[in-house]
């Protein structure tokens, strides 16, 4: 009989080092009746760049050409300092898992998303240092549910997404968020009985802002947000009869901003919303959203704020199918100083076929992640530094980064 026991300095036995906080630990190994001498080791604080990502089998990276479609045959993971770590689907070794958002501190990393169980149901939940935690679905275990966004505030974890109201074709996507595992339902503030989704979350002075879209009775996606514990729906401009979505939301010391797109009848156009003021910067304002070409699809996917500077990431170019890729997609990042009303703009090389899906900023350091896509030979996961080059992880499989955090 072989038995390994790990002790913290407090003398309390634990099962694995995976879920320990930083500090000094003791290790003993017992074989039969003989116990080894005590060995010490140190668990270091978590630090560096962490990316939530999803990989696909070779040959299926065509799905990268449209960030909004559902993938198949994917595996969730976290890239920690350049090393890929699978996030295991505890229901099935062959079923899909997906990570959409990550959050963390120097001692714990949360990764939110979903796993597909053996019945083919999407189960919402999150991994804590690699260990899966399913979230309750108020409509039953047979109904799909997904986590799209995570926010960690102190010891409170917010997970935004949706639950399907039934398992059949008549079910609706019901928006909401879990607070430390407790479901808080929101409602479609536009048309009862139609789909609505929380795509992104932030907090300002303890108040939850959950943003995304509600579908109208005509099936049009209308951008907006839910605010506070009561979940009051706030529709935001522009609402011109076409689809619009808020993809990313972030708070400064006193304000909340969101980014996304609005459809003008022919193309998707980028929008920066000043949510707390219910105003927006339209795609035609080249002073703010500087350098964008308004004749092609352009979508903002993510936002980060440091002081008075807003950083937003996204992509421009044809994005609806690989066969229509006459205009190669390009990852884009712009930074906007809200006090000076000035902006700078960066784009990937046209030949790169790149997408920016997430952005993180800390002090003077800004990082964005997504994928670099040279169909059919490459669907590379990595990150960009602000206005800089692509840093590849050379993981030898296709995929895309969906979220990024920097822990110092």
């Amino acid at each position: 009989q072989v038995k390994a026991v790990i002790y913290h300095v407090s003398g309390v036995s634990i099962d694995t080092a995976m879920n320990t906080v930083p500090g000094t630990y003791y290790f003993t190994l017992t074989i039969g009746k003989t116990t080894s001498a005590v060995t010490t080791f140190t668990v270091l604080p978590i630090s560096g760049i962490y990316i939530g990502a999803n990989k696909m089998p070779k040959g299926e990276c065509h799905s990268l050409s449209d960030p909004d479609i559902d993938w198949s045959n994917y595996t969730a993971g976290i890239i920690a300092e350049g090393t890929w770590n699978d996030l295991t689907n505890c229901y099935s070794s062959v079923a899909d898992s997906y990570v959409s958002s990550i959050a963390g501190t120097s001692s714990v990393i949360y990764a939110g998303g979903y796993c597909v169980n053996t019945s083919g149901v999407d189960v919402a939940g999150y991994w804590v240092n690699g260990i899966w935690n399913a979230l309750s679905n108020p409509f039953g275990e047979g109904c799909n549910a997904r986590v799209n966004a995570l926010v960690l505030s102190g010891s409170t974890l917010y997970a935004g997404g949706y639950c399907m109201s039934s398992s059949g074709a008549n079910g609706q996507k019901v928006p909401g968020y879990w607070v430390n595992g407790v479901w808080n339902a929101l409602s479609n503030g536009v048309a009862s009985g139609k789909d609505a989704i929380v795509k992104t979350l932030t907090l300002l002075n303890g108040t939850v802002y959950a943003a995304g879209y509600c579908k109208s009775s005509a099936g049009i996606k209308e951008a907006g947000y839910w605010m506070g514990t009561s979940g009051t729906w706030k529709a935001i401009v522009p609402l011109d009869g076409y689809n619009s979505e808020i993809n990313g939301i972030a708070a400064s010391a006193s304000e909340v901003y969101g980014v996304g797109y609005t459809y003008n009848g022919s193309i998707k156009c980028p929008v920066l919303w000043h949510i707390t003021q219910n105003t927006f910067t339209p795609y035609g304002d080249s002073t703010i959203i500087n350098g964008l070409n308004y004749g092609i699809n352009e979508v903002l996917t993510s936002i980060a704020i440091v002081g008075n500077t807003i950083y937003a990431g996204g992509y421009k170019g044809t994005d609806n199918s690989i066969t229509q890729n006459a205009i190669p997609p390009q990852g884009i990042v712009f930074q906007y100083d809200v006090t000076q009303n000035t902006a700078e703009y960066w784009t990937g090389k046209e030949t790169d076929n790149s997408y920016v899906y997430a952005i993180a900023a800390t002090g003077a350091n800004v990082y964005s992640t997504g994928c670099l896509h040279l169909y059919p030979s490459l669907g590379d996961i990595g990150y960009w530094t602000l206005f800089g080059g692509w840093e590849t992880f050379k993981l030898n499989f296709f995929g895309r980064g969906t979220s990024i955090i920097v822990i110092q």
Side-chain angles (χ1 to χ4, degrees), residues 157-176:
L157 182 68
Y158 299 84
Y162 69 87
C163 294
M164 293 295 295
S165 61
S166 71
S167 59
N170 294 324
Q172 285 83 45
K173 293 176 180 177
V174 178

Side-chain angles (χ1 to χ4, degrees), residues 68-384:
D68 293 326
I69 70 173
D70 282 340
W71 289 11
S72 59
N73 303 318
Y74 43 78
T75 301
I78 288 181
I79 302 170
E81 292 298 279
T83 301
W84 174 268
N85 300 273
D86 278 342
L87 293 173
T88 304
N89 184 333
C90 66
Y91 306 107
S92 168
S93 62
V94 297
D96 299 341
S97 59
Y98 188 90
V99 58
S100 57
S101 181
I102 60 176
T105 68
S106 62
S107 61
V108 62
I109 298 292
Y110 298 92
Y114 65 92
C115 290
V116 179
N117 66 18
T118 54
S119 299
V121 176
D122 296 347
V123 180
Y126 56 89
W127 293 265
V128 184
N129 287 349
I131 306 300
W132 174 251
N133 290 265
L135 290 167
S136 61
N137 187 331
F139 301 103
E141 295 181 355
C143 300
N144 290 331
R146 296 185 179 184
V147 170
N148 294 325
L150 289 182
V151 171
L152 182 63
S153 177
S155 60
T156 303
L157 182 68
Y158 299 84
Y162 69 87
C163 294
M164 293 295 295
S165 61
S166 71
S167 59
N170 294 324
Q172 285 83 45
K173 293 176 180 177
V174 178
Y177 57 89
W178 292 264
V179 182
N180 285 345
V182 179
W183 172 251
N184 181 66
L186 303 170
S187 62
N188 186 324
V190 177
S192 178
K194 295 293 183 179
D195 289 345
I197 292 178
V198 172
K199 301 190 73 175
T200 179
L201 286 172
T202 195
L203 274 76
L204 177 62
N205 298 325
T207 299
V208 177
Y209 288 78
Y213 68 83
C214 291
K215 279 191 175 182
S216 69
S217 57
I220 302 298
K221 296 177 181 178
E222 297 190 5
Y225 65 97
W226 297 265
M227 182 178 125
T229 55
S230 62
T232 303
W233 168 255
K234 305 281 187 180
I236 61 176
V237 291
L239 296 175
D240 52 8
Y242 296 108
N243 287 336
S244 60
E245 299 181 51
I246 298 178
N247 293 322
I249 192 171
S252 66
S254 59
E255 303 292 335
V256 176
Y257 295 86
V259 295
Y261 77 90
T262 184
Y263 187 65
N264 69 0
S266 59
I267 59 173
K268 295 176 180 178
C269 306
V271 183
L272 168 64
W273 284 281
H274 189 170
I275 286 178
T276 40
Q277 300 297 324
N278 198 30
T279 62
F280 72 102
T281 300
Y283 47 86
D285 189 341
S286 59
T287 301
I288 309 302
I289 305 180
N290 185 32
L292 300 185
N293 181 340
Y294 306 113
I296 59 177
N297 283 312
E298 297 162 64
V299 175
L300 295 178
T301 60
S302 49
I303 182 173
I305 301 175
V306 176
N308 294 318
T309 304
I310 296 172
Y311 301 93
Y315 60 92
K316 67 178 183 177
T318 306
D319 70 348
N320 52 341
S321 81
I322 198 69
T323 59
Q324 298 177 14
N325 229 0
I327 305 172
Q330 298 172 264
I332 57 174
V333 173
F334 77 88
Q335 65 175 22
Y336 167 54
D337 189 314
V338 298
T339 60
Q340 301 297 319
N341 198 33
T342 58
E344 293 182 71
Y345 172 77
W346 169 89
T347 181
K349 297 178 182 178
E350 281 196 353
T351 56
D352 283 346
N353 291 293
S354 56
Y355 298 89
V356 172
Y357 297 126
I359 193 166
T362 173
N365 298 316
V366 180
Y367 304 93
S368 54
T369 190
C371 68
L372 198 64
H373 176 211
L374 294 176
Y375 183 80
S377 61
L378 180 65
D380 191 23
I381 305 173
Y383 67 91
W384 293 270

